[in-house]
């Protein structure tokens, strides 16, 4: 804030025109701010949000079972907070990636049930918990696939190289909605008779196919940034091709690609909203179905502002988390 | 050498097995539903109406013609958003780099709001709130020249539907935020000395920016711009959310009517391939022009 006011002072002192412009803009911002605040507090009817908070979070999940997605979201949030604080104990820090991977089977178990919990059909999954499930599942599946594709594109085998390149380039040329559409309508056509894959899993499959091509390009960027001398040094130490890839190339490529991968994760989180027009009732889908309810008809602005703030909050949180991670990885680098 | 060859043969073999299983399943499923792969249905009458058609179209025209209308509609909204997005992006990018701090602060808010919320939500906002929200009131900023209502925009006899306008503004404002970052990066890539040089030659700030800095920033800007344009083309398929009949929306209607999923999907992909080719070739030409003008 001090910097901000100092900047204003500096800007004001440059010349009169700039000063007047600044004042005019500040006036407009002030008026806009007062007008918006007035609307938000007095004119807006927030019932459409406040009455339906459980719907936004869990969709049509059975009411007495809502603690399951809630527990999952809470465990994810607390894990994020732990990651953000960065525990001092080394074993705890080392097990963090494993804990993150473990949240996925935990989430699937809590949502679908079985093994003592009552089963819940996937058509009852919805709201924020479905959005998070789509994002996390697709991301965790797409990461290894993306690494394979990136390595394939760098491969010395011409066939593997060509195939990976064709896959990556064609996936990146196609709009996401076409891929999702493929997932919903075409995958059943390619399956043998009697075999059916659930809608949610088909969506996750399509997201994985799509995102892995983008992740592959980001990781390729990381791989190319590693100097050749590293590979030579590793070879001199007697590491074989697999060891070089596994211990030298991939960890460094992932670290270099981390900012780009964060953007992919944030993009994926936002893009899961496309499933709202392809038949899943995730966060945006809940908003749409509430707006179709006669009780809340015409409450577009309230619902959209609410949804935008939820998306904004989560995306910003992911960005903060990733920036923190980048910083920590960078510190490790200087320690070596 | 022989080891490499074996690996490749194994990969090829596995791929062939996978493909043959999938194609076998597909042909079984298709023959069960009685829809053999064919494209002759394209010449049958479409018998659905279109809200927007750039060339004469009636429901008695063929499916192929209806799909072509969709392609033209896509092209129309892509090209116009591309131009508007460039203006927004260049303006915001310049403001972020050289504007005064308050304007820069506003631009930063704009960029975070746009980039951290889904495009689909933004498009719905533009359509249901900004345009349909006007209800019956007509908004006329300049009397007789431009009028905005829930029917869309009238501008000097040119009338744009509300669906088109919502898509146009939604896509442009969204892509503009990304182009702004590309422009900012480009401007920052020009060395500080160039600014001092034009100031000492007596150029005004704006004159120097447009005549000295931006021409040098262009080679750094154009590749980023191209990928943003391609993203815009891909994102234009979200038109279906606001009811604009673009290529994807018409494909969707056609599939609902005919059940020709595979064929329509092939058509969708190839029309997209054509659009991409068009944009990247256009940008290649622009790139060549800017590189040539730099030599002089």
């Amino acid at each position: 804030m001090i910097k901000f006011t100092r900047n204003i002072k500096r800007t004001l002192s440059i010349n009169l025109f700039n000063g007047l412009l600044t004042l005019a803009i500040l006036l407009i911002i002030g008026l806009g701010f007062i007008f918006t605040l007035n609307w938000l507090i007095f004119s807006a009817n927030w019932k459409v949000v406040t009455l339906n908070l459980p719907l936004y979070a869990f969709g049509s999940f059975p009411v007495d079972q809502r603690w399951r997605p809630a527990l999952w979201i809470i465990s994810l949030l607390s894990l994020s907070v732990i990651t953000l604080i960065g525990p001092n104990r080394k074993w705890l820090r080392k097990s963090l990636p494993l804990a993150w991977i473990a949240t996925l089977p935990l989430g699937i178990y809590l949502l679908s049930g079985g093994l003592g919990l009552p089963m819940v059909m996937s058509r009852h999954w919805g709201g924020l918990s479905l959005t998070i499930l789509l994002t996390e599942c697709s991301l965790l599946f797409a990461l290894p696939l993306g690494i394979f594709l990136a390595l394939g594109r760098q491969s010395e085998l011409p066939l593997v190289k060509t195939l990976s390149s064709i896959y990556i380039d064609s996936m990146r040329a196609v709009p996401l909605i076409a891929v999702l559409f493929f997932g919903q309508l075409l995958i059943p056509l390619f399956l043998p008779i009697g075999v059916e894959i659930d809608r949610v899993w088909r969506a996750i499959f399509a997201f994985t196919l799509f995102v892995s091509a983008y992740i592959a390009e980001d990781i390729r960027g990381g791989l190319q940034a590693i100097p050749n001398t590293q590979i030579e040094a590793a070879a001199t130490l007697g590491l074989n091709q697999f060891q070089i890839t596994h211990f030298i190339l991939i960890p460094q490529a992932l670290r270099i690609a981390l900012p780009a991968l964060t953007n992919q994760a944030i993009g994926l989180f936002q893009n899961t909203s496309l499933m709202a027009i392809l038949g899943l009732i995730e966060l945006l889908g809940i908003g749409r179905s509430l707006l179709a309810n006669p009780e809340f008809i015409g409450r577009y602005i309230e619902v959209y502002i609410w949804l935008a703030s939820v998306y904004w909050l989560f995306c910003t949180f992911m960005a903060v988390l990733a920036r923190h991670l980048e910083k920590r990885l960078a510190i490790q680098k200087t320690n070596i | 050498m022989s080891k490499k060859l074996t690996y490749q043969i194994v990969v090829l073999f596995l791929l062939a097995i996978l493909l043959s299983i999938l194609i076998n399943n597909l042909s079984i499923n298709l023959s069960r539903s009685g829809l053999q792969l064919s494209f002759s249905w394209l010449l049958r009458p479409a018998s659905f109406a279109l809200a927007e058609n750039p060339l004469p179209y009636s429901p008695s025209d063929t499916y192929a013609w209806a799909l072509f209308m969709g392609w033209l509609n896509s092209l129309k909204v892509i090209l116009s958003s591309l131009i508007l997005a460039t203006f927004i992006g260049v303006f915001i990018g310049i403001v972020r780099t050289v504007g005064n701090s308050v304007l820069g602060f506003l631009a930063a808010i704009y960029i975070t709001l746009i980039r951290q919320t889904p495009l689909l939500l933004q498009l719905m906002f533009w359509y249901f709130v900004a345009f349909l929200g006007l209800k019956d009131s007509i908004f006329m900023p300049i009397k007789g020249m431009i009028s905005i209502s829930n029917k869309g925009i009238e501008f000097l006899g040119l009338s744009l539907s509300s669906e088109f306008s919502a898509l146009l503004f939604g896509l442009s404002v969204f892509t503009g935020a990304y182009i702004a970052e590309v422009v900012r990066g480009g401007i920052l890539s020009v060395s500080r000395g160039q600014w001092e040089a034009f100031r000492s030659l007596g150029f005004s700030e704006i004159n120097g920016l447009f005549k000295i800095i931006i021409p040098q920033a262009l080679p750094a800007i154009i590749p980023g711009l191209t990928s943003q344009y391609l993203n815009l083309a891909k994102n234009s398929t979200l038109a279906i959310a606001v009811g604009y009949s673009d290529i994807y929306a018409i494909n969707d209607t056609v599939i609902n009517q005919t059940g020709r999923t595979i064929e329509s999907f092939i058509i969708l992909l190839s029309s997209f391939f054509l659009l991409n080719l068009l944009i990247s070739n256009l940008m290649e030409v622009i790139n060549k022009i800017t590189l040539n003008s730099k030599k002089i």
Side-chain angles (χ1 to χ4, degrees), chain A residues 159 172-173 189 214 270, chain B residues 8 25 29 100 115 234 276:
Chain A
L159 183 74
R172 286 169 61 97
L189 288 178
Y214 286 79
Q270 297 177 358
Chain B
Q8 297 196 58
N25 284 341
N29 282 321
N100 71 38
R115 293 177 67 135
K234 283 185 269 178
N276 272 344

Side-chain angles (χ1 to χ4, degrees), chain B residues 21-278:
Chain B
I21 290 177
L22 290 180
I23 289 171
N24 182 41
N25 284 341
L26 179 67
S27 66
I28 292 174
N29 282 321
L30 283 181
S31 68
R32 258 163 56 102
S33 62
L35 287 171
Q36 289 300 330
L37 219 57
S38 98
F39 284 93
S40 57
W41 54 272
L42 275 174
L43 297 175
R44 289 212 301 269
S47 62
F48 56 81
L50 285 181
E52 246 165 287
N53 40 296
L55 293 177
Y57 167 86
S58 73
S60 59
D61 282 324
T62 59
Y63 279 116
W65 189 248
L67 286 166
F68 183 58
M69 289 304 108
W71 194 77
L72 285 183
N73 276 340
S74 284
L75 197 63
K76 182 172 126 190
V77 80
I78 291 170
L79 289 182
S80 32
S81 318
L82 203 136
I83 295 167
L84 187 58
T86 312
F87 276 112
I88 296 176
V90 169
F91 177 72
I92 302 286
I94 290 174
V95 164
R96 281 265 280 171
T97 331
V98 291
N100 71 38
S101 58
V102 183
L103 265 180
F105 181 67
L106 267 189
I109 290 182
Y110 157 72
I111 288 176
T112 170
L113 271 183
I114 294 298
R115 293 177 67 135
Q116 312 284 51
T117 53
L119 171 61
L120 190 59
L121 184 64
Q122 291 175 33
L123 287 178
M124 288 177 177
F125 192 88
W126 281 101
Y127 184 59
F128 291 109
V129 177
F131 281 97
L132 296 195
L134 288 172
K135 301 222 167 61
D136 297 328
S137 57
I138 295 173
F139 181 58
M140 269 191 264
I142 310 163
K143 232 182 160 71
M145 242 178 83
I146 184 165
S147 79
I148 304 168
S149 69
N150 63 352
K151 301 264 179 341
I153 301 179
E154 290 270 354
F155 179 67
L156 289 174
L158 181 78
S159 70
L160 309 170
S161 70
S162 48
E163 288 83 17
F164 177 84
S165 318
L167 198 58
L168 171 69
F169 282 102
L171 283 176
S172 307
V173 168
F174 180 80
T175 315
Y178 287 83
I179 291 181
E181 294 294 274
V182 172
V183 170
R184 193 166 88 108
I187 293 177
L188 291 178
S189 77
V190 178
S191 78
R192 239 18 241 178
Q194 296 288 327
W195 291 80
E196 285 149 17
F198 83 66
R199 278 181 198 135
S200 66
L201 285 172
F203 279 85
S204 71
E205 287 289 300
I206 295 198
N207 218 348
L209 181 70
F210 280 98
K211 290 202 170 138
I212 309 290
I213 305 298
I214 299 235
Q216 295 187 70
L218 273 182
I221 289 175
I222 284 180
L225 211 55
T226 310
S227 74
Q228 288 314 322
Y229 286 168
L230 291 173
N231 280 343
L232 189 147
K234 283 185 269 178
N235 287 335
S236 74
T237 45
L238 295 185
I240 192 169
V242 298
Y244 179 70
S245 8
D246 80 323
I247 180 71
Y248 179 80
I250 292 190
N251 248 295
D252 202 52
T253 316
V254 168
I255 288 171
N256 281 337
Q257 277 199 5
T258 62
R260 300 280 181 181
T261 325
I262 300 269
E263 295 91 331
S264 298
F265 193 68
I266 294 171
I267 293 169
L268 181 68
L269 289 190
S270 31
S271 34
F272 239 86
F273 181 69
L274 259 173
L275 274 176
N276 272 344
L277 216 63
L278 210 71

